[in-house]
């Protein structure tokens, strides 16, 4: 994946995919639980933690976030569409 993105784009993508933000208390991280009705594969956490306040993540971090979402069973094309739209 050649494009990079920041926390704002990632949070918007997760919300469009149906992830639910959890309450946060003065932290630089936000927890998003998986969409209702989606069961995570065996051994995977039912949430994603996003580092907030980043205009652009480094390419490795971008790839890692996309991989995490993909492993939860979300379609890759849909992820890319929502991230870069």
């Amino acid at each position: 994946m050649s494009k990079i993105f920041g926390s704002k784009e990632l949070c918007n993508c997760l919300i469009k995919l149906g992830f639910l933000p959890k309450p946060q208390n003065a932290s630089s991280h936000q927890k998003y639980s998986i969409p209702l009705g989606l069961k995570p594969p065996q051994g995977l956490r039912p949430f994603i933690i996003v580092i907030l306040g980043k205009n652009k993540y480094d390419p490795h971090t971008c790839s890692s976030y996309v991989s995490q979402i993909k492993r939860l069973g979300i379609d890759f094309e849909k992820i890319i569409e929502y991230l870069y739209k």
Side-chain angles (χ1 to χ4, degrees), residues 10-61:
L10 179 59
C11 291
N12 288 335
C13 173
L14 290 173
I15 289 171
K16 289 177 185 175
L17 290 170
F19 284 77
L20 303 170
K22 293 292 184 181
Q24 133 188 35
N25 295 323
S27 174
S28 61
H29 293 73
Q30 175 75 49
K31 186 186 271 189
Y32 285 85
S33 60
I34 61 173
L36 298 174
L38 183 66
K39 186 176 179 192
Q42 183 70 25
L44 290 183
R45 299 174 180 173
F47 58 86
I48 291 179
I49 295 178
V50 176
I51 302 169
L52 299 175
K54 299 284 186 177
N55 287 333
K56 299 290 178 194
Y57 295 116
D58 65 80
H60 175 69
T61 304

